[in-house]
Amino acid sequence: MSIGDKIRQRRKELGMTQTELGKRVHKSSQVISNWERGYTTGIAADDLRQLAIALDTDVHFFVPASPEHLPWGFMTAESNSDYLQKSPTDNRLETLIEAYPHLDEKSKDIIEAIIKLSNN
């Protein structure tokens, strides 16, 4: 399930419209629509944090559920809540999340390509 699918699923579970969600994350309903349909590649870490708050969920909700699809061997909070807190590779994810919005498009494309490769 893609990030867009997860956004749509959770929004609908909460009975929220795209317009309402957009207001909560300070984005237009068109941006929300583009995220949900997968038209926008790469959602900034800050936007994911805002989405998690608006959708009353954890940021990890947007991460693939099966550990073999996660980069660098990360596991989701649902599969092992202690792992993310104790893992030395945790810093890599935090660094990536913080740096991602500031990367140029080519760097973002490279990261997305690596993630797609790991999902295959």
Side-chain angles (χ1 to χ4, degrees):
M1 182 180 284
S2 71
I3 290 175
D5 292 333
K6 290 182 178 191
I7 294 169
R8 181 184 310 105
Q9 172 193 3
R10 184 65 181 144
R11 176 181 61 77
K12 288 187 174 189
E13 285 174 3
L14 296 173
M16 196 181 306
T17 66
Q18 289 179 339
T19 301
E20 291 168 329
L21 178 57
K23 287 178 182 177
R24 290 182 183 202
V25 297
H26 310 290
K27 301 289 181 187
S28 70
S29 60
Q30 184 64 44
V31 168
I32 303 300
S33 175
N34 287 343
W35 285 344
E36 289 184 355
R37 292 183 293 163
Y39 290 174
T40 303
T41 57
I43 300 174
D46 288 339
D47 291 335
L48 283 176
R49 287 185 191 115
Q50 289 298 316
L51 281 167
I53 292 167
L55 295 172
D56 193 29
T57 190
D58 189 88
V59 171
H60 295 105
F61 172 76
F62 302 112
V63 178
S66 58
E68 66 271 9
H69 291 114
L70 296 174
W72 307 301
F74 286 107
M75 299 178 77
T76 63
E78 293 80 18
S79 63
N80 188 342
S81 60
D82 293 333
Y83 183 83
L84 284 174
Q85 294 172 357
K86 296 177 183 175
S87 171
T89 57
D90 227 11
N91 293 335
R92 287 184 182 174
L93 179 59
E94 282 301 314
T95 300
L96 180 60
I97 289 171
E98 290 174 18
Y100 191 86
H102 308 289
L103 296 175
D104 59 40
E105 287 304 310
K106 185 174 181 177
S107 297
K108 290 178 181 179
D109 290 343
I110 291 169
I111 291 169
E112 289 176 24
I114 292 169
I115 292 170
K116 284 180 185 177
L117 283 173
S118 72
N119 287 335
N120 290 335

